[in-house]
Amino acid sequence: MIDVRRLEILRELDRCGTVAATAQAVHLTPSAVSQQLAALAREAGTPMLERDGRRVRLTEAARILLSHAHAIFTRLEHAEADLAAFRRGTGGSVRVGTFNSAIERLGVPAVDVLARDHGIRAELQDVDSDLVADSLLLARGIDVAIMEGEQRLGQPGGVTDPRLQDDHLVDDPMDLLLPMGHRLADRSQVRLADLADDDWILARPGSSYSRIAATACADVGFTPRGRHHTTEFVGLVALVAAGQGVALLPRLVQHVFRHEPVVRKQPADRIPVRRIGLRIRAGTGQQPHIGPTIAAIRSAADALRPGSTAD
């Protein structure tokens, strides 16, 4: 491996012309300069200097090495500038894992802010479960995860792995979704318990959405009878519109389906809530590329709260 510091001495010798002048430029003794150039010759496997009377001159091999050295030092200058920007929080890249329905309202606004205000390139990755997100965080496949769950993230009962830390962002209430011709569609109030005998559209067993629905129904005394299971809200809404069952729909995504032939009702007995939070590797929150990312996602979450101008 060629020592970059010795390349710098070679470049100075080419500029200054003599060992004595080079020594003065790099703040070494002439003997030390000669030793460094001899070491560079050993690293390169060929002499760097040849005698020219009482002086020395660069060999053709040294000229070839210098042609690459100029490009190397240019790249190092760029690298130092990029690192300086990174330390200021105005550069670099960050990888964010997020569940699908948070991309539009949380992920995209954060990406825009990071690019515009910090020069940070954010890369979003659709992560479909908390177990996958945790694995990616620990393997450094992502830097920040936007999570969903039944419990308030950042509070007791949240993350238990000491290598990870989380924080609560916002609560996302879930409303009932009924077909237009449902027997309760015209009622001013509908309770979860009123739908105990209905078919339900649910997510796959074990998913966060499925657990939220099951817990909410259990709290009012029944187990939802799942007729269809889907991982996408597009499919869920389509099935409800077709009269195939009832469902719960988070308010975070309801604007997408405002023109669909379905009826939305706020449950009168118990409003299920999807907790949304952030998870990072413990101790990384103040890093120059992660700190601004957390702030950008939090700002997007704040805009979703009731009463905000973006609500």
Side-chain angles (χ1 to χ4, degrees):
M1 182 68 69
I2 294 174
D3 192 318
V4 174
R5 293 169 297 178
R6 291 170 182 149
L7 279 181
E8 178 65 26
I9 293 174
L10 182 67
R11 188 169 69 161
E12 284 300 304
L13 178 60
D14 182 45
R15 182 180 69 86
C16 297
T18 68
V19 170
T22 301
Q24 186 174 5
V26 298
H27 306 291
L28 293 174
T29 65
S31 176
V33 167
S34 296
Q35 290 172 7
Q36 291 296 312
L37 292 172
L40 179 61
R42 290 193 297 272
E43 291 171 348
T46 185
M48 295 288 104
L49 304 176
E50 59 186 9
R51 280 289 171 188
D52 183 17
R54 300 180 64 181
R55 298 165 62 92
V56 293
R57 65 182 180 187
L58 301 184
T59 63
E60 186 59 27
R63 294 288 178 191
I64 292 172
L65 188 56
L66 271 181
S67 69
H68 292 287
H70 296 319
I72 290 170
F73 287 117
T74 298
R75 294 304 302 170
L76 284 173
E77 293 285 354
H78 289 313
E80 290 177 357
D82 288 346
L83 285 172
F86 175 78
R87 290 191 294 268
R88 295 193 302 269
T90 57
S93 62
V94 65
R95 294 159 298 180
V96 179
T98 176
F99 57 96
N100 184 272
S101 58
I103 291 176
E104 180 187 1
R105 305 292 294 276
L106 295 177
V108 171
V111 167
D112 289 343
V113 168
L114 290 169
R116 184 184 66 243
D117 297 346
H118 302 280
I120 294 175
R121 173 187 170 85
E123 302 170 4
L124 294 180
Q125 181 174 341
D126 191 343
V127 178
D128 63 358
S129 77
D130 51 356
L131 293 177
V132 173
D134 287 354
S135 296
L136 287 171
L137 280 168
L138 293 173
R140 288 173 168 75
I142 58 176
D143 303 300
V144 178
I146 303 175
M147 313 288 291
E148 62 174 336
E150 307 99 296
Q151 301 196 23
R152 186 178 295 273
L153 295 171
Q155 299 296 324
V159 66
T160 57
D161 192 322
R163 297 171 295 177
L164 300 170
Q165 66 184 63
D166 59 18
D167 194 14
H168 177 252
L169 277 176
V170 67
D171 288 342
D172 185 20
M174 304 174 77
D175 293 326
L176 291 167
L177 204 63
L178 312 176
M180 293 290 289
H182 193 275
R183 70 184 187 281
L184 303 178
D186 294 330
R187 279 197 188 179
S188 59
Q189 288 189 328
V190 178
R191 300 176 305 151
L192 268 173
D194 295 332
L195 302 172
D197 295 326
D198 283 74
D199 289 332
W200 282 73
I201 317 300
L202 299 172
R204 66 181 182 279
S207 68
S208 174
Y209 174 91
S210 181
R211 293 194 299 267
I212 294 170
T215 299
C217 294
D219 286 347
V220 296
F222 75 98
T223 299
R225 184 174 67 240
R227 179 175 178 182
H228 301 287
H229 296 80
T230 176
T231 59
E232 297 289 341
F233 288 122
V234 171
L236 180 146
V237 173
L239 285 165
V240 173
Q244 293 296 301
V246 300
L248 291 168
L249 187 66
R251 292 180 190 171
L252 184 66
V253 299
Q254 289 183 12
H255 67 287
V256 177
F257 306 107
R258 58 184 177 275
H259 299 305
E260 295 296 319
V262 293
V263 176
R264 286 175 291 173
K265 299 283 186 180
Q266 178 176 309
D269 47 355
R270 183 184 188 280
I271 300 177
V273 173
R274 179 171 65 162
R275 315 294 188 185
I276 300 177
L278 284 174
R279 186 164 292 170
I280 60 174
R281 291 184 295 277
T284 63
Q286 299 305 312
Q287 291 186 6
H289 61 316
I290 295 180
T293 301
I294 293 172
I297 296 172
R298 183 168 296 286
S299 177
D302 289 343
L304 299 176
R305 300 182 189 281
S308 72
T309 55
D311 182 56

